Amino acid sequence: MHKLLTFLSGAALLLSACARPDTTPQGRLAVNDKKIDAVIAQMTLEEKVAMLHSKTNMSSAGVPRLGIPDMQYADGPFGIREEGVPNGFQSAGWQLDSATYFPTGSALAATWSEDLARLYGKGMGIEARLRGKDVILGPAVNIQRLPVGGRTYEYLSEDPILSAALALRYTEGVQEQGTAVCIKHFAVNNQETNRGSVDAQVDERTLREIYLKPFERAIVEGGAMSVMPAYNKVNGDYCSENEHLLNEILRGEWGFKGMTVSDWGGTHSTMGAMLHGLNVQMTGDTYLGPPVIDSIKTGALTEKLVDEKVRQILRVRYAIESVPADVANTKMTSQPECQDIARQVAEKSIVLLKNEGGILPLAKDVKKIAVIGQNAVLKTQSGGMGAGVKALYEVTPLDGIRKRAGDGVQVLYAPGYKNFPGRRWGPAPAKPNPLEAAAIDEGADKKLLAEAVKLAKQADIVIFFGGTNKSIETEGSDRSSIDLPTGQNEVVKALYAANKNLVTVLISGGPTDLRQLEPVSPAIVQGWWNGTEGGTALAEVLFGDIAPSGKLPFTFPAKLEDSPAFAMGNFPDKTQGGDLFTLMYRADATRMTREERQKMLDAMPKPVSKYTEGQLVGYRWFDTKGVKPMYAFGHGLSYVEFAYGPLTASAGADAVQVSFDLTNKGQMDADEVVQLYVARPGAKVEWPAKELKAFARVTLKAGETKAVSLTIPVKDLRYWNVDKNAWDLEHGTLQLLLGAASDDIRQQAEVAI
Ligand code: BGC
């Protein structure tokens, strides 16, 4: 009887589930399935297989005969990339493809603003449409595991909760404009060293709680329509043919209904890709072209599987209306509305790291400013490989300062140090540029140094621009250290000796080693690669038109060896070998035979990256191990002080709620980013000392008090129980730590969960 009842109620449940349409963000992607199946029934096998690989470098085929347009892709994540020639990345030489350059990933994350992330996505979506693009290759949301990571500047944060919230809003912003995101790089793509072959060996709990989180939210809650499997392997298998990642987690657990598009050159086999979750090979057809047809003929693969892949691609095609060719590219890509979004993000991203003696904002009576350092004039829109933007315009820091200073203030400039241009493509210039260094660790140039000191002595205030550039931090390689390049430490010391009124602005995407610079810089600002309006925003902050309000999305370690993967000896890997990706990509492009390619792959070293630091990424490590960083995760000062009132907290079945009063005690309007961390005293499960669980950006007028509420969904407090292979909640005491930074906790409370 009991069994019968269970069966009947099970059947009833099933029936009601069948009757109700799936209204989840992913479920909605399947609304056209009936229509799609009717279309698939009319397609030849050749037409279907043509959809499984690139048509050009930035498109994959539709079916013209049936009125299905090609899928057009465009690189993001910080601006719609310049149009390339059909079969490569070289410029197509267009006039109307200058785009808005948005602040790069870590700058966006420094805003800690879900609203701005959504607006940013909106801006990207608007410009993608103007260019006739269906899919933006972004956002890039991998966790910043290594301070030296070549793509740290593209990625958002070292923290999964912050990354996930921004990834979700970026995704929504883009897709609300009728463009799909292709969220990348799925997954555990945390290093550029040997990125084409490295095996990231990470335990299941860490994978779930840290590395997959940003993808999960954007896909499950944001309905991300496409996903880019990364170049690397995860636990033995390439991401583009990783059963666990693509079939079990992405499609199985998260209910993903859209398409996966391999990273460019990141497909590795026909059977692996077909059976384990890839839809589109980018680029080339070596694996998902003719070999698929051959495999069906021999019975190794079924046409049914091809149909399923085509259905997943067509779901995206049907969800995204293609822009007619005579409408696309008739207007300049960069639009004033989007330039304004770029400025808003830049304004809220700038982080005031230090401000001794209130040296900032600049005094109202300042008459002579010495701006020193090439990073004040170098444009940052291009470089860094795929994420470069051909910007319609870019306000450099010096432009911004000059414009804001106006006629009454003299702004002097000297380059101060040589720029390191990094690896060059194409022939070396006939005459070396005297402002370029041959090596990254070349010492200070005596002539440039003397000229800079001379200006510093005459000025009321010196603003030193240091940091890196997009040849030093770039896709394709990791930095070998986080040291400031080309003698910058020597320069800033000499400037300080000449004039103690000194402000340092760091222009970089990732952290740098500040041990020498910090003692000689009364004020330090992290200025990022801040997009088209970066210089405008920076000047507004320096002159005090707005209060700085960015907070670090990653830890600035005092020294590189303090950071987790280095301290554990997990990075760098000792395996030698070139950039294997480049070799494979070249092999694909030059169409080696299958045997030749296999021979080359077999001969390659097999590098691994062990993630034995586990969950202790970034501040989780520093806090748990008691290592003091130079600047902690979440740190960022303002021109005003904020008072945090006592915390009221309650725990329900679904959420933990906290509320408190926040007061702006200063004389100007300002934003504060409030951060709620949790600790678990007495827990049996191993946890980091504390973890971020909620945050908010609060705007307050001078003197204003606001009641602020924060919510932690209980599901975010769960851990991945490896024994049960499922999410689990450990009941017990939860300590709630509210503060202005991970090392600046102002109020505490406890609840039982
Ligand atoms: C990068 C991707 C990019 C693709 C296309 C690859 O090298 O890893 O992020 O979208 O190229 O440019």
Side-chain angles (χ1 to χ4, degrees), residues 254-431:
W254 297 350
F256 178 66
K257 298 276 189 291
M259 62 175 187
T260 58
V261 179
S262 83
D263 202 344
W264 272 226
T267 309
H268 296 277
S269 72
T270 301
M271 295 305 283
M274 286 298 289
L275 295 175
H276 305 301
L278 189 65
N279 291 91
V280 183
Q281 169 182 2
M282 288 306 264
T283 56
D285 62 359
T286 6
Y287 299 114
L288 296 195
V292 173
I293 298 177
D294 295 345
S295 307
I296 290 172
K297 282 187 191 145
T298 63
L301 289 172
T302 62
E303 188 161 348
K304 202 163 153 252
L305 180 62
V306 174
D307 289 352
E308 193 182 318
K309 294 198 182 282
V310 169
R311 185 180 305 118
Q312 290 155 351
I313 297 169
L314 284 176
R315 283 178 184 151
V316 181
R317 185 61 285 173
Y318 275 63
I320 298 299
E321 217 174 295
S322 113
V323 184
D326 58 343
V327 175
N329 301 299
T330 48
K331 265 203 209 169
M332 183 61 78
T333 309
S334 181
Q335 289 295 304
E337 180 187 359
C338 304
Q339 296 151 17
D340 190 58
I341 294 171
R343 183 185 46 76
Q344 289 182 51
V345 173
E347 285 174 346
K348 307 270 168 167
S349 75
I350 294 162
V351 185
L352 180 61
L353 294 172
K354 174 179 175 184
N355 195 17
E356 225 170 64
I359 184 170
L360 281 176
L362 299 175
K364 295 262 177 291
D365 59 355
V366 68
K367 285 280 163 296
K368 210 184 238 192
I369 304 173
V371 172
I372 310 292
Q374 284 208 64
N375 276 0
V377 298
L378 285 177
K379 297 209 165 154
T380 61
Q381 55 188 258
S382 58
M385 282 175 84
V389 183
K390 181 173 114 183
L392 183 62
Y393 68 94
E394 178 179 345
V395 181
T396 66
L398 184 61
D399 294 339
I401 291 171
R402 285 220 158 111
K403 182 147 185 252
R404 172 58 183 80
D407 292 340
V409 182
Q410 214 183 336
V411 180
L412 311 167
Y413 167 73
Y417 53 81
K418 288 186 175 180
N419 171 39
F420 179 64
R423 182 168 44 167
R424 266 187 211 288
W425 305 101
K431 247 198 348 213

Side-chain angles (χ1 to χ4, degrees), residues 331-577:
K331 265 203 209 169
M332 183 61 78
T333 309
S334 181
Q335 289 295 304
E337 180 187 359
C338 304
Q339 296 151 17
D340 190 58
I341 294 171
R343 183 185 46 76
Q344 289 182 51
V345 173
E347 285 174 346
K348 307 270 168 167
S349 75
I350 294 162
V351 185
L352 180 61
L353 294 172
K354 174 179 175 184
N355 195 17
E356 225 170 64
I359 184 170
L360 281 176
L362 299 175
K364 295 262 177 291
D365 59 355
V366 68
K367 285 280 163 296
K368 210 184 238 192
I369 304 173
V371 172
I372 310 292
Q374 284 208 64
N375 276 0
V377 298
L378 285 177
K379 297 209 165 154
T380 61
Q381 55 188 258
S382 58
M385 282 175 84
V389 183
K390 181 173 114 183
L392 183 62
Y393 68 94
E394 178 179 345
V395 181
T396 66
L398 184 61
D399 294 339
I401 291 171
R402 285 220 158 111
K403 182 147 185 252
R404 172 58 183 80
D407 292 340
V409 182
Q410 214 183 336
V411 180
L412 311 167
Y413 167 73
Y417 53 81
K418 288 186 175 180
N419 171 39
F420 179 64
R423 182 168 44 167
R424 266 187 211 288
W425 305 101
K431 247 198 348 213
N433 180 341
L435 286 181
E436 286 184 354
I440 191 166
D441 54 0
E442 201 175 285
D445 180 278
K446 300 292 171 246
K447 213 169 125 237
L448 295 180
L449 182 69
E451 181 196 358
V453 167
K454 201 167 146 212
L455 292 198
K457 282 189 176 146
Q458 305 164 26
D460 303 329
I461 189 149
V462 181
I463 311 180
F464 172 69
F465 280 84
T468 64
N469 62 39
K470 277 173 129 181
S471 302
I472 296 170
E473 287 185 66
T474 172
E475 180 189 333
S477 58
D478 296 311
R479 282 185 283 171
S480 55
S481 81
I482 55 168
D483 295 345
L484 288 167
T486 54
Q488 288 183 21
N489 283 322
E490 210 181 318
V491 176
V492 69
K493 283 179 200 166
L495 295 174
Y496 184 68
N499 189 338
K500 300 273 176 296
N501 259 344
L502 185 141
V503 173
T504 288
V505 181
L506 297 163
I507 302 293
S508 68
T512 42
D513 183 329
L514 302 181
R515 281 175 297 165
Q516 296 190 52
L517 180 141
E518 197 273 341
V520 292
S521 295
I524 307 178
V525 173
Q526 178 64 36
W528 310 114
W529 291 329
N530 235 342
T532 272
E533 289 283 358
T536 312
L538 183 69
E540 287 170 336
V541 167
L542 294 177
F543 283 85
D545 304 334
I546 53 175
S549 61
K551 302 260 183 167
L552 287 180
F554 51 67
T555 308
F556 260 69
K559 54 182 189 303
L560 184 56
E561 303 76 55
D562 290 345
S563 59
F566 287 82
M568 296 282 296
N570 285 336
F571 190 89
D573 171 37
K574 310 289 174 293
T575 319
Q576 294 301 310

Side-chain angles (χ1 to χ4, degrees), residues 654-724:
D654 297 328
V656 173
Q657 304 277 2
V658 308
S659 50
F660 60 97
D661 283 346
L662 184 72
T663 304
N664 173 355
K665 298 202 301 178
Q667 306 294 314
M668 68 189 293
D669 301 353
D671 283 9
E672 169 70 321
V673 173
V674 298
Q675 303 162 36
L676 183 63
Y677 296 83
V678 303
R680 325 221 187 196
K684 296 212 170 47
V685 177
E686 223 178 297
W687 292 103
K690 65 174 173 306
E691 298 173 285
L692 179 76
K693 288 296 172 191
F695 62 89
R697 170 173 279 271
V698 187
T699 301
L700 293 167
K701 299 224 165 302
E704 191 187 6
T705 298
K706 263 190 191 166
V708 182
S709 302
L710 295 171
T711 302
I712 305 175
V714 166
K715 69 178 175 37
D716 283 354
L717 295 169
R718 296 173 310 174
Y719 70 102
W720 184 258
N721 184 328
V722 282
D723 297 325
K724 294 188 190 163

Side-chain angles (χ1 to χ4, degrees), residues 75 81 89 151 184-185 195 228 231 263-264 475:
D75 256 314
R81 190 173 179 177
F89 289 109
R151 300 185 94 162
K184 66 190 188 182
H185 308 88
R195 66 174 170 164
M228 185 189 289
Y231 283 132
D263 202 344
W264 272 226
E475 180 189 333

